[in-house]
Amino acid sequence: MTKTFWWLPILALAGTFGVAQPAFAGFNSAYTDINLDQCLVLNADDFGASWACPGYKGYPLQISEGDLRFVISYGFNIDDEPGRSQSLGPFNHLGAKLEWRLSNASGGWLPVATIVRYFTQNQETYEETNEVLVVTQLLEGQTCHIAYIDALANPNANELARQAADKAGKFDCVNDKVDIIGKFTAWDARD
């Protein structure tokens, strides 16, 4: 008499797909402060400074300032990342919070992108009147800005930034152009 193990194909299929993806893959946010007084000064001179700051659960984060522009660099190999020196054209400073977009697609909540508010100078009045949300992809070897959202021109700017951040991982830092999302009046960034 031959036994039929009808459940074996189902078990094999469940094992194949069950290990590859968690039961619920999604996104979430965590926040850290941007407070340079709580950061370690790496170097400073008359032309600028750089700090090592606390990131999400120890994720490496470096903030630099030079020529009245701030740069945030991320990762374990910061010097090898394409976005290690990305800032915005106008003079700027950083907001007080850094939003980390987390994905559990790999089974644990890991950072895949960040969103930070830059306060930028109006190029006509020279007053700091503009606010831009900068979305940065966190992917080894491909960490860079992927989207800019004018926070004052779009009433749903935070949601637009989260939607852009949740697409992180597909952006090619060398060949793709930073996406300008929604209405943008902070400066002429579309050129």
Side-chain angles (χ1 to χ4, degrees):
M1 174 178 204
T2 308
K3 290 187 176 184
T4 306
F5 296 101
W6 59 269
W7 46 269
L8 279 177
I10 295 171
L11 184 62
L13 218 75
T16 301
F17 293 110
V19 174
Q21 296 180 351
F24 173 74
F27 296 94
N28 205 346
S29 289
Y31 299 87
T32 57
D33 293 326
I34 297 177
N35 182 347
L36 298 179
D37 292 335
Q38 295 178 353
C39 300
L40 174 68
V41 177
L42 298 174
N43 61 49
D45 58 30
D46 293 341
F47 301 104
S50 63
W51 301 264
C53 300
Y56 174 74
K57 293 191 175 184
Y59 198 91
L61 170 65
Q62 183 175 311
I63 296 176
S64 303
E65 185 276 329
D67 193 27
L68 301 177
R69 292 171 180 89
F70 279 83
V71 174
I72 302 179
S73 305
Y74 306 88
F76 294 94
N77 297 307
I78 287 175
D79 292 336
D80 297 332
E81 294 297 341
R84 70 186 168 280
S85 60
Q86 276 184 308
S87 187
L88 304 180
F91 296 148
N92 61 67
H93 78 271
L94 302 171
K97 290 282 182 193
L98 182 60
E99 180 175 357
W100 298 79
R101 287 301 282 173
L102 311 173
S103 170
N104 71 347
S106 65
W109 290 102
L110 297 174
V112 294
T114 63
I115 302 167
V116 67
R117 184 176 304 260
Y118 277 73
F119 294 86
T120 64
Q121 186 181 68
N122 182 308
Q123 294 175 321
E124 294 175 10
T125 65
Y126 301 107
E127 295 177 23
E128 203 169 77
T129 57
N130 298 321
E131 298 177 24
V132 176
L133 298 179
V134 175
V135 180
T136 301
Q137 169 177 273
L138 304 178
L139 180 65
E140 189 172 343
Q142 287 290 320
T143 297
C144 62
H145 294 181
I146 62 172
Y148 299 146
I149 299 94
D150 188 323
L152 301 179
N154 297 285
N156 61 338
N158 289 329
E159 184 56 36
L160 292 173
R162 288 183 189 113
Q163 289 171 4
D166 295 349
K167 295 177 185 175
K170 300 174 182 129
F171 191 85
D172 181 334
C173 295
V174 175
N175 297 311
D176 294 341
K177 189 173 180 182
V178 176
D179 195 11
I180 306 296
I181 298 174
K183 184 177 179 185
F184 198 91
T185 61
W187 72 83
D188 194 10
R190 297 188 192 273
D191 292 336

